[in-house]
Amino acid sequence: MQATAPQLRKHIVELESLELDEALFNRIKDDLLQNAGRHMPAQVWLKAGGGGAEAASEFDVKNLIFPWLGFGKTLVAPESLSWYYPFIKDIDTLGVVDTYFAGPAEIRPAGQELLIADLGTIVDINLIAPFLPQGPQPRPLRVIEVGGGYGRLAEALFNVYDGGQLQYVMIDAVPASLIFAYEYLTRARPDLRIGSFYRGDAYDLQRFDIYICPIWHFETAGAGQFDLAINVQSMQEMDQHHVDYYLGWFDTVLKPGATAYLCNRRDHVFRGEWHYPAHWECLLKTCTPRSWTRDFPAEVYRKGERSYAAQNHLAEVRYQRELTRANERQLERAAAAGYKVY
């Protein structure tokens, strides 16, 4: 893999500008109710993203901006940047930070439209990048993401690794996300070939750069095909059976030696157990600026062929010690500056 441009976006697309196709929404909702079965989203997402009692005529993209982004929907300001900057500057091997920021509280013109969620994107891509194959590759890297919302991370990865280096599948169970991911990405990257199950496109990564599909129409399609699996801040809003399923399913779709990247709060809606496959080797488990004080790890695993339970336990112990210390220096700097600790 070769980074081609240190930028998160090529085209600015306002989320509020996306329009809901009511007929398509109703068709996806009917399919969900008839066929999703065990993949029915948790209640919080049924209400936010369709599948509940709300009619399409009552639904709007604005309903989803907070569930997708939460606090991250706010524009980056010097205070929010100060939480992220030391960390992202230290880990940034892609050159993205200097594109948007001139210092810990100085935002360049290119960064004026960035949201706090975009700071999280800079964290994600820089924690993923070191574990990708380096240099020119004989074929595109195949990526599968569950719960990618409107395509925030997919857009960034395609911008950083442009030129046919990626083939990407976005899996979701929320009707509105399945619609708006297509609407957003076709506007953000009109040069990419984007397919969608609900627009009559069959799964074929030779035809599409990005393919969008509900899990219940894909779960048997991708066994052993993918190099990287991603879940960022969506398992934290699922139920135990969903989390168990997706961790096991990631193991099925990943090739031997492939990588999984996950970043989820442990004290959010889901507070259950995380049953990672024993043969996944933990390569990284760390706190990030998404929260220095909550149990909110970013994790990288490699699919192996033996049990890594003992090593993974040590990684958990190291992480818990890091969490307990709560990055005291950063917290002290925030307190001295009068910033709110979150």
Side-chain angles (χ1 to χ4, degrees), residues 191-236:
D191 57 314
L192 295 179
R193 301 168 302 166
I194 301 176
S196 169
F197 175 87
Y198 288 111
R199 295 177 186 275
D201 301 318
Y203 169 58
D204 183 354
L205 288 183
Q206 302 307 313
R207 292 181 55 209
F208 301 110
D209 302 300
I210 300 175
Y211 185 72
I212 302 164
C213 191
I215 179 59
W216 54 91
H217 289 304
F218 193 86
E219 58 183 329
T220 62
Q225 294 184 12
F226 291 89
D227 305 290
L228 173 65
I230 297 173
N231 183 265
V232 176
Q233 293 179 271
S234 71
M235 286 188 187
Q236 68 186 30

Side-chain angles (χ1 to χ4, degrees), residues 314-329:
L314 289 178
E316 177 67 21
V317 170
R318 287 197 307 271
Y319 165 72
Q320 290 296 336
R321 289 175 65 85
E322 178 186 2
L323 180 65
T324 300
R325 290 195 302 270
N327 286 271
E328 293 177 357
R329 186 179 305 171

Side-chain angles (χ1 to χ4, degrees), residues 235 242-252 262 273-277 280:
M235 286 188 187
H242 295 119
V243 175
D244 289 345
Y245 173 81
Y246 281 117
L247 290 175
W249 186 69
F250 274 173
D251 190 52
T252 298
L262 303 101
E273 299 294 323
W274 293 79
H275 299 131
Y276 296 107
W280 282 18

Side-chain angles (χ1 to χ4, degrees), residues 33-76:
L33 296 175
Q34 293 172 20
N35 298 311
R38 60 180 172 172
H39 301 302
M40 185 69 66
Q43 190 60 41
V44 62
W45 275 106
L46 281 178
K47 181 174 178 58
E54 295 79 10
S57 59
E58 303 171 17
F59 208 81
D60 189 89
V61 69
K62 294 176 183 178
N63 297 63
L64 271 173
I65 291 176
F66 186 80
W68 274 335
L69 299 176
F71 178 62
K73 66 184 177 61
T74 309
L75 287 172
V76 174

Side-chain angles (χ1 to χ4, degrees), residues 83-85 87-88 91 119-124 127 232-233 261-265 284-299 319 322-323 326-327 330 342:
W83 281 100
Y84 279 81
Y85 188 85
F87 184 86
I88 59 178
I91 68 170
L119 298 177
T121 302
I122 296 174
V123 171
D124 295 330
L127 292 181
V232 176
Q233 293 179 271
Y261 174 76
L262 303 101
C263 187
N264 288 279
R265 275 181 62 180
L284 177 72
K285 186 166 188 172
T286 184
C287 298
T288 78
R290 280 193 170 104
S291 176
W292 290 118
T293 55
R294 296 191 181 108
D295 190 358
F296 200 157
E299 304 170 274
Y319 165 72
E322 178 186 2
L323 180 65
N327 286 271
Q330 176 75 9
Y342 63 95

Side-chain angles (χ1 to χ4, degrees), residues 133 137-144 165 167 203 205-206 222-229 248-260 279-281 301-305:
Q137 299 298 308
R139 58 170 183 79
L141 187 87
R142 288 195 165 183
V143 183
I144 192 158
Q165 297 186 74
Q167 294 174 331
Y203 169 58
L205 288 183
Q206 302 307 313
Q225 294 184 12
F226 291 89
D227 305 290
L228 173 65
W249 186 69
F250 274 173
D251 190 52
T252 298
V253 299
L254 288 173
K255 300 174 182 177
T259 302
H279 56 272
W280 282 18
E281 179 185 10
Y301 290 88
R302 178 171 292 135
K303 180 179 176 179
E305 296 180 352

